[in-house]
Amino acid sequence: MIAKILKYQLRDVMRSKWIIAYALFFLGLTDILFRFGGDGVRVATSMMNVVLIVIPLASIILGAFYLYNTREYIEMLLCHPVKRHQLFWGMFLGLGLPLVLAFTGGVMVPFIYHGAGPEAWTAAGMLAFTGSMLTVIFVGIAYYLALRFDDRIKGLGLALVICLFFTVIYDGIILLVIYMFANYPLEKPVLALSLFNPIDLGRILLLLQFDISALMGLTGAVFRDFFGTVLGMAIALGSLLLWLFVPVYGGFRRFLYKDF
Amino acid sequence: MITIKELDKHYGALHALKSVEVDIAPGRITAVLGPNGAGKTTLIKSVLGLVKPDSGTITVDGTEVNGDSDYRRKIGYMPQIARYPENLTLQEIVDMIKDIRGYSGISGTSKHFSGDLDMELWDRFDLDTEKDKPFRTLSGGNRQKVSAVLAFLFRPKVLFLDEPSTGLDPVSSSILKDKILAEKKRGTTIILTSHIMSEVQELADQVVYLLEGRIYFELSVSDLLADTGQQTLERAIARKIGQNGAVASRNGMTQGHRPADGQNKPVHDHYAEREQTFVTEGGTS
Amino acid sequence: MIKFKGINGWIVILLAVAGTMTTATPPSVEASSLSPGQTNRVFNIGEGEEYSRISDALEQVSDRDTIRIHPGVYREHQLIVAQSVVIIGIDRPVIDAGHQGEGFRIVADSVHIEGLEIRNVPTSHSRDHAAIRFDRVSGGKIIDNRFDDTFFGIYLARSHGVEIRDNQLRAYQTREAVSANGIHLWNSNHAVIAGNIINGHRDGIYLEYVENSEIYDNHAVNNIRYGLHFMFSDDCTYHRNRFEDNGAGVAVMYSKRVMMEDNEFLQNWGASSYGLLLKEITDSEIKHNNFSGNTTGIRAEGSDRVKIHYNRFQRNGWAIRITASSMDNMITQNNFIDNAFDVSTNSRQNNSTFEANYWDKYSGYDLKGDGYGDVPYRPVRLFSLIVERNPMALMLLRSMFVQILDLTERIMPTITPETLVDEKPLMSEVSL
């Protein structure tokens, strides 16, 4: 049943103008960077900034809009013999998958036709992975918000605030903490803080890929000892998965018991 | 066919349904009426499983509504406002619903009692000419026609029709009414909501009137007209509520003050609009 | 420039040919037929030869004799070379010191050692054991030898004009305290160190009180401390060397008039790691070098009048970190590409000049069309100052918040050094 819902869902979303625009945005940008910069690692590094800002914002806004707009459609489907949990996963994957495909496709295709070395492919792969994770995480948050608040102005407003919080404000707080407690051993608390922000987590995973030599400098030992180990990597990935699971599960529970 | 016992529902502080008890007889057309906010939509959504009641039981054709979705095989629903995926064509939308209902690959006919699926309305609305257009390009009337087709498609035992003639031109509206009466003849149980009292009078056998979350009265149309000595349903309901004048005026019973000639379009549009805003604000009617 | 290099190369080849010709033309008479006191004799050493041990032959030789060591493993150590002889290995014989003591100790001028492999010179905390040590001599050549698991490889003490060429040195220690330098020069002038590969030592090449020496075409990789380490060594030149994956690249300290050209500084990572560390260096020149993938490309402390030009800085954490105590340095015509930080400093003071460099982060325009941007470029980011003070803040690198901070500071500088500005940033890369 999930597959049936997903099939039509994908057909619908893949034909929409905004998903095509979204894919073309990444394709165009990556292509231009290739034409200006040349080598693949540089392109991936430049795309990193874009990915960390655009993907959370786009995913959370599109996610909230999408769910608000399909409200009547969801009601209509629920009058048919469709189970709520099936419909939820159909709707979630129905938006998440096209967004992931549009992003990874948009970024990867120029790497194929411009040609890139193995190092650039690793970088691009890491970029695609992090971007995809951030996409589903923020679609999950958006779904939770849209199901929690029937008032769409409230839901969209909150989505924007959450996005702003994670992209900007949270890092400001971290910097403040670093300054206020400069005389204490801060490595572990700050590392722990970074686990509570999916964008920071994604950023650090990418930093380790791209700016390793810079990070190996002053704080190098800390990062290497933590993210360099299997345990550290597992914790980082586990945190990302938790970030994926918690909002999606919250949305899922809401969807099961919601009055439409 | 549908039995509702002690149904209670709160939306926060709002007590939307207060221990509602209804028994809807099979093979008849029952109109659920009442002013905005009386609990009509909540009642119908509870039966459809869209709203989870606080307490009470609902039984549809012997199956209790308890979260399982299977009983909805017996139900066809025509919503007041229909929205389908914007970029799917009309044909794809029909295919999708068939797919979900497990009828994929089976084609229907417009012959009444032959074939698995009932495509009569599809043919009579002449939707074949529109079938490759994406949903977003369809006019309001055509959207409504799609909803009607899908409601009747699977020959359901129970049909819910929410303001069925909204947005339809007179010809299509008339086709739909013929279809409704034909389905009734076939033995289908039909539940109808409408703000057009002439339409209700024309179609319904039974009226369930809701007020402030309670069943105010439940009477057959003929009994209602006879009781009140009125010619039209609208007048009859106004009179019926007027018998309890205090309640009526407190609740601003607009239907009661409407002139006899107010049964046509402009008035209905006005109501539809109000109903629509209310639903989008949180579905607490 | 290229032409000069070419001529230099030819001279090297000619010298080498001349060297092999003199050694390859010993009298064809048997060594045993020569009477003592005669010069240009040949001593053959090996199984079935006249001598089976090198030390026995060394006791018999006199100046200008040749020792030919035939293939085999010679378990000998502390071989004192007191005469100006030529020692040639045939098919690379192995001298295994068996962790007993030093290898050769050369106390005569103009000794030539070629084609040997020297192994297992022991680590010692009290004595500077070396595979080959020159002690107070003048002239000498160490050519095409292999050094495997030696404490010091080649050690020059108060020896002048020695040439060390095309040797390969390999050591295996992992801790600084128990390892020693590959090529170690102390109080020795006019040395030539060329074409050597040094791997796994403490410092690849170490110079202390060395003057007028030339170091080129060497490859120092994986050494525990520095690839090349200069102390109090004036008027030296090093060029075309490659320093890769060393603990901390190259350190040039307390020296004057050092010429650094055409070197590669690659992938030197670590908390206190640099491509090139300049400490109290004056009147020197850094030209046509490539700094790539280092934690810090160049760190300059208290260095004055150093000219840094025509270099490429790419993918470093910091391209240049310069302390305010450095005066009158000239940084011009360099390419700065994909560095996390281009320039960082420790104060609002700046006493060096940055001019006409290419900065990939520069986003100005050139309406005049003269190839220079019309808007000055400030290479010091606010964030780099934050990181200097609070290293942990580095984890916010590339955060949106930090980018906003940097932008604000760039528009209205209040913390970053006001005078550290490139007034004429180049619009396109300098072709090097």
Side-chain angles (χ1 to χ4, degrees):
Chain A
M1 183 58 85
I2 296 177
K4 283 182 190 172
I5 297 167
L6 191 56
K7 180 174 124 193
Y8 291 97
Q9 209 48 21
L10 289 180
R11 230 186 253 182
D12 175 44
V13 173
M14 291 304 218
R15 282 182 205 165
S16 60
K17 289 194 187 87
W18 52 265
I19 196 88
I20 295 166
Y22 190 67
L24 285 179
F25 168 76
F26 285 109
L27 186 88
L29 204 61
T30 314
D31 184 64
I32 286 170
L33 286 171
F34 260 109
R35 284 175 205 283
F36 276 86
D39 101 86
V41 177
R42 284 197 75 184
V43 173
T45 314
S46 306
M47 284 306 289
M48 171 183 171
N49 292 321
V50 181
V51 163
L52 290 174
I53 293 162
V54 171
I55 285 196
L57 188 67
S59 301
I60 204 167
I61 296 296
L62 288 176
F65 254 113
Y66 189 75
L67 210 61
Y68 281 127
N69 280 337
T70 50
R71 188 62 185 267
E72 290 90 354
Y73 170 56
I74 290 172
E75 286 181 23
M76 191 278 300
L77 278 182
L78 281 178
C79 295
H80 292 281
V82 173
K83 292 189 170 59
R84 285 194 175 198
H85 65 90
Q86 296 167 335
L87 184 56
F88 179 81
W89 294 118
M91 296 298 291
F92 181 68
L93 295 174
L95 181 65
L97 273 183
L99 282 178
V100 165
L101 287 178
F103 157 67
T104 43
V107 169
M108 288 304 206
V109 167
F111 274 84
I112 297 168
Y113 67 72
H114 281 290
E119 203 189 341
W121 274 112
T122 321
M126 196 66 199
L127 191 73
F129 169 75
T130 312
S132 303
M133 281 304 272
L134 286 178
T135 303
V136 274
I137 288 171
F138 278 87
V139 168
I141 296 175
Y143 271 33
Y144 176 78
L145 290 175
L147 291 166
R148 172 77 181 71
F149 301 100
D150 282 329
D151 181 355
R152 63 174 67 196
I153 304 293
K154 208 174 183 179
L156 283 169
L158 214 60
L160 273 176
V161 168
I162 285 178
C163 206
L164 191 71
F165 178 77
F166 282 138
T167 42
V168 181
I169 299 168
Y170 194 86
D171 290 345
I173 295 171
I174 289 187
L175 190 60
L176 202 67
V177 168
I178 291 174
Y179 258 82
M180 279 169 64
F181 302 100
N183 299 324
Y184 299 88
L186 272 176
E187 286 84 354
K188 278 173 190 153
V190 168
L191 273 181
L193 271 181
S194 72
L195 295 181
F196 290 101
N197 179 349
I199 300 178
D200 273 352
L201 258 177
R203 191 169 46 76
I204 289 170
L205 285 178
L206 287 176
L207 278 183
L208 286 173
Q209 193 65 39
F210 298 138
D211 292 84
I212 191 108
S213 50
L215 283 165
M216 284 300 165
L218 298 171
T219 46
V222 184
F223 276 92
R224 192 177 35 208
D225 290 353
F226 182 70
F227 290 105
T229 61
V230 175
L231 180 71
M233 244 0 206
I235 289 175
L237 287 178
S239 307
L240 267 186
L241 287 177
L242 209 63
W243 262 110
L244 177 59
F245 177 77
V246 170
V248 173
Y249 185 71
F252 179 65
R253 297 292 296 179
R254 285 237 146 231
F255 196 83
L256 288 190
Y257 299 109
K258 189 177 170 51
D259 292 328
F260 281 96
Chain B
M1 180 55 69
I2 299 174
T3 312
I4 296 170
K5 285 209 169 82
E6 291 180 35
L7 196 67
D8 232 70
K9 178 66 186 175
H10 288 81
Y11 290 109
L14 180 73
H15 202 169
L17 293 178
K18 297 166 184 164
S19 199
V20 169
E21 304 240 354
V22 190
D23 202 351
I24 288 169
R28 305 184 71 185
I29 301 180
T30 306
V32 178
L33 303 178
N36 291 324
K40 286 175 300 189
T41 310
T42 306
L43 184 66
I44 290 171
K45 283 187 168 182
S46 298
V47 179
L48 289 169
L50 289 171
V51 164
K52 309 259 170 178
D54 302 339
S55 61
T57 57
I58 301 167
T59 317
V60 177
D61 194 24
T63 314
E64 198 181 319
V65 177
N66 57 6
D68 189 38
S69 60
D70 246 21
Y71 77 97
R72 295 192 209 124
R73 289 192 180 288
K74 298 167 187 165
I75 294 177
Y77 173 54
M78 179 179 171
Q80 191 181 353
I81 317 153
R83 286 283 289 274
Y84 299 94
E86 300 269 288
N87 302 299
L88 295 189
T89 63
L90 229 163
Q91 182 68 57
E92 284 175 317
I93 289 169
V94 174
D95 287 347
M96 169 177 73
I97 303 297
K98 276 160 75 177
D99 214 355
I100 283 169
R101 287 264 194 167
Y103 284 87
S104 65
I106 298 168
S107 54
T109 72
S110 52
K111 287 275 180 294
H112 219 58
F113 286 99
S114 61
D116 291 305
L117 297 172
D118 182 351
M119 291 292 274
E120 186 187 356
L121 279 179
W122 177 273
D123 292 341
R124 296 199 62 188
F125 285 147
D126 202 18
L127 288 175
D128 245 10
T129 56
E130 309 271 322
K131 71 178 165 60
D132 292 325
K133 288 187 183 167
F135 181 75
R136 75 184 126 79
T137 64
L138 293 187
S139 69
N142 280 339
R143 291 176 180 208
Q144 203 62 15
K145 287 177 196 167
V146 180
S147 286
V149 169
L150 291 174
F152 288 90
L153 186 62
F154 304 97
R155 305 190 188 290
K157 276 188 164 178
V158 184
L159 260 172
F160 285 85
L161 307 171
D162 196 355
E163 305 281 350
S165 51
T166 310
L168 288 182
D169 59 278
V171 177
S172 306
S173 181
S174 159
I175 290 170
L176 181 58
K177 279 176 191 166
D178 288 346
K179 181 67 182 169
I180 293 171
L181 291 170
E183 275 302 302
K184 178 193 153 192
K185 224 171 253 170
R186 247 192 73 213
T188 308
T189 309
I190 296 166
I191 292 104
L192 174 81
T193 68
S194 179
H195 280 93
I196 310 163
M197 287 305 120
S198 61
E199 183 177 288
V200 175
Q201 191 174 356
E202 189 185 345
L203 296 172
D205 303 310
Q206 189 84 6
V207 171
V208 173
Y209 198 88
L210 277 165
L211 194 61
E212 293 190 318
R214 290 182 205 281
I215 304 289
Y216 193 67
F217 62 79
E218 189 183 354
L219 285 169
S220 72
V221 172
S222 49
D223 284 354
L224 189 57
L225 292 175
D227 274 9
T228 53
Q230 299 292 325
Q231 294 299 308
T232 66
L233 189 60
E234 183 163 55
R235 291 273 176 194
I237 290 171
R239 174 62 61 86
K240 184 77 185 166
I241 290 168
Q243 287 167 1
N244 269 6
V247 179
S249 63
R250 180 150 45 82
N251 288 288
M253 292 285 58
T254 42
Q255 276 128 325
H257 304 298
R258 203 139 293 284
D261 60 351
Q263 298 165 354
N264 39 28
K265 280 267 172 214
V267 176
H268 134 250
D269 278 349
H270 168 68
Y271 276 109
E273 223 170 82
R274 286 183 56 187
E275 180 76 7
Q276 196 167 334
T277 35
F278 201 63
V279 169
T280 43
E281 270 164 20
T284 53
S285 63
Chain C
M1 190 66 236
I2 290 158
K3 203 152 201 172
F4 172 71
K5 260 189 247 166
I7 291 168
N8 223 14
W10 278 111
I11 293 170
V12 169
I13 291 166
L14 281 174
L15 281 174
V17 170
T20 45
M21 274 167 69
T22 51
T23 53
T25 51
S28 54
V29 280
E30 281 295 303
S32 53
S33 66
L34 298 163
S35 55
Q38 235 179 309
T39 56
N40 294 334
R41 294 172 304 168
V42 174
F43 291 72
N44 281 290
I45 299 163
E47 228 181 280
E49 303 293 336
E50 176 187 2
Y51 294 93
S52 58
R53 293 174 60 81
I54 303 164
S55 52
D56 292 346
L58 282 171
E59 280 170 19
Q60 304 297 322
V61 293
S62 44
D63 288 350
R64 280 176 282 158
D65 284 348
T66 296
I67 298 175
R68 289 162 57 96
I69 305 177
H70 289 266
V73 177
Y74 300 86
R75 299 189 192 285
E76 295 184 70
H77 63 277
Q78 203 150 20
L79 299 162
I80 313 277
V81 182
Q83 277 77 30
S84 298
V85 293
V86 173
I87 302 175
I88 297 280
I90 295 163
D91 292 338
R92 206 172 294 289
V94 173
I95 289 96
D96 187 341
H99 299 289
Q100 301 296 309
E102 64 184 350
F104 289 93
R105 174 183 291 255
I106 291 149
V107 292
D109 295 343
S110 305
V111 170
H112 180 124
I113 297 183
E114 185 173 345
L116 305 181
E117 172 156 348
I118 304 174
R119 282 187 194 163
N120 301 330
V121 174
T123 296
S124 163
H125 295 291
S126 53
R127 311 190 60 173
D128 291 343
H129 290 313
I132 300 177
R133 166 190 290 269
F134 284 81
D135 205 353
R136 295 166 196 265
V137 303
S138 177
K141 283 180 182 171
I142 308 292
I143 292 172
D144 185 31
N145 299 287
R146 303 277 159 83
F147 299 79
D148 193 85
D149 197 16
T150 62
F151 188 48
F152 283 89
I154 300 163
Y155 194 123
L156 270 63
R158 296 185 195 280
S159 297
H160 307 294
V162 175
E163 192 179 325
I164 302 166
R165 192 183 287 276
D166 300 333
N167 300 287
Q168 294 181 20
L169 301 97
R170 183 88 176 81
Y172 305 94
Q173 297 292 353
T174 52
R175 285 187 304 127
E176 211 176 295
V178 292
S179 64
N181 306 320
I183 298 173
H184 183 105
L185 275 70
W186 177 72
N187 254 310
S188 301
N189 300 335
H190 298 284
V192 172
I193 303 171
N196 302 288
I197 300 170
I198 309 127
N199 187 328
H201 280 276
R202 182 170 63 193
D203 291 339
I205 301 170
Y206 177 87
L207 311 179
E208 188 176 340
Y209 301 110
V210 172
E211 288 175 6
N212 296 306
S213 293
E214 207 181 339
I215 298 128
Y216 58 90
D217 290 335
N218 299 289
H219 184 185
V221 57
N222 269 323
N223 295 292
I224 299 163
R225 197 167 62 183
Y226 299 115
L228 170 65
H229 192 175
F230 264 63
M231 298 284 273
F232 312 104
S233 296
D234 301 339
D235 300 299
C236 290
T237 299
Y238 66 94
H239 52 100
R240 296 202 306 263
N241 300 288
R242 190 137 69 100
F243 305 101
E244 202 170 351
D245 284 325
N246 297 296
V250 172
V252 183
M253 299 173 166
Y254 315 106
S255 304
K256 298 185 183 70
R257 297 175 300 279
V258 181
M259 175 78 188
M260 303 162 241
E261 197 178 349
D262 286 315
N263 300 288
E264 291 189 88
F265 302 84
L266 311 172
Q267 310 289 339
N268 296 292
W269 289 0
S272 54
S273 183
Y274 325 97
L276 173 59
L277 169 66
L278 303 175
K279 194 163 189 172
E280 316 255 333
I281 299 300
T282 49
D283 299 306
S284 296
E285 196 175 346
I286 299 168
K287 191 177 174 184
H288 282 121
N289 298 286
N290 178 14
F291 298 86
S292 182
N294 304 290
T295 297
T296 302
I298 296 181
R299 179 179 173 88
E301 295 175 12
S303 294
D304 306 332
R305 297 187 300 281
V306 176
K307 201 164 183 199
I308 300 175
H309 54 169
Y310 302 106
N311 300 288
R312 181 180 183 84
F313 297 88
Q314 187 163 21
R315 294 193 71 200
N316 301 288
W318 287 261
I320 298 182
R321 294 167 81 180
I322 186 163
T323 60
S325 58
S326 301
M327 312 273 277
D328 303 321
N329 299 289
M330 182 77 192
I331 296 101
T332 183
Q333 301 283 337
N334 300 289
N335 288 328
F336 292 86
I337 295 158
D338 289 339
N339 302 295
F341 302 100
D342 287 329
V343 178
S344 153
T345 176
N346 60 344
S347 118
R348 283 208 84 188
Q349 300 297 315
N350 165 52
N351 302 306
S352 296
T353 308
F354 289 78
E355 194 178 88
N357 296 286
Y358 171 76
W359 314 89
D360 67 339
K361 294 181 189 68
Y362 180 61
S363 54
Y365 45 84
D366 176 21
L367 293 180
K368 282 181 278 179
D370 58 359
Y372 299 107
D374 300 344
V375 186
Y377 179 70
R378 298 180 170 276
V380 180
R381 293 169 61 188
L382 172 59
F383 185 51
S384 73
L385 288 186
I386 292 174
V387 172
E388 289 283 339
R389 280 175 219 170
N390 289 292
M392 262 323 280
L394 188 60
M395 66 155 289
L396 295 175
L397 183 67
R398 288 177 186 279
S399 147
M400 178 82 172
F401 177 74
V402 162
Q403 287 171 26
I404 292 172
L405 269 189
D406 278 344
L407 186 68
T408 327
E409 175 71 14
R410 210 158 268 178
I411 294 166
M412 215 170 45
T414 50
I415 303 162
T416 50
E418 247 173 305
T419 58
L420 209 165
V421 179
D422 190 332
E423 298 283 352
K424 292 166 66 185
L426 287 172
M427 294 306 291
S428 52
E429 284 183 41
V430 182
S431 55
L432 302 172

